[in-house]
Amino acid sequence: MKTNDYVKYMTQTLVKYADQPKDERKRLREERKQAKASFWYRWFGILPYIFYIEVKNRKRKR
C-alpha cells in the first residue's frame, strides 16, 4: 500500500468516526467490550478458565 493510499484510508476512517453521533460511538465501544474474551481465557486458555469458573460457582453456592 502506498503512502497516499494509506493517508486516504486513515482520513476516511477518521471522518466516518467523527460523523457518528456520540451515543452510537459509546454503544459500539460497549459492544466491543462485551465481545472481548475475559482476562483468564485470553491469558491462560480454556482449562484454567473452566477451573476458575467452577471454583467461583462453588463459592457462590455456599
Side-chain angles (χ1 to χ4, degrees):
M1 182 182 269
K2 293 186 178 184
T3 305
N4 210 15
D5 294 336
Y6 182 70
V7 170
K8 182 179 177 183
Y9 168 75
M10 289 303 296
T11 305
Q12 288 173 345
T13 305
L14 183 65
V15 169
K16 180 180 165 186
Y17 178 79
D19 284 344
Q20 289 178 339
K22 186 175 183 178
D23 57 339
E24 185 177 342
R25 289 191 304 251
K26 194 172 188 177
R27 181 184 56 81
L28 291 172
R29 193 175 318 120
E30 289 298 322
E31 285 177 5
R32 281 195 303 267
K33 277 186 182 180
Q34 294 297 328
K36 187 189 254 187
S38 71
F39 169 80
W40 287 96
Y41 181 75
R42 282 186 290 143
W43 281 87
F44 303 111
I46 190 72
L47 292 177
Y49 180 71
I50 291 172
F51 179 72
Y52 169 74
I53 295 297
E54 287 298 319
V55 169
K56 192 165 108 176
N57 287 339
R58 287 183 185 176
K59 284 183 181 179
R60 191 178 297 159
K61 287 181 182 178
R62 289 182 183 176

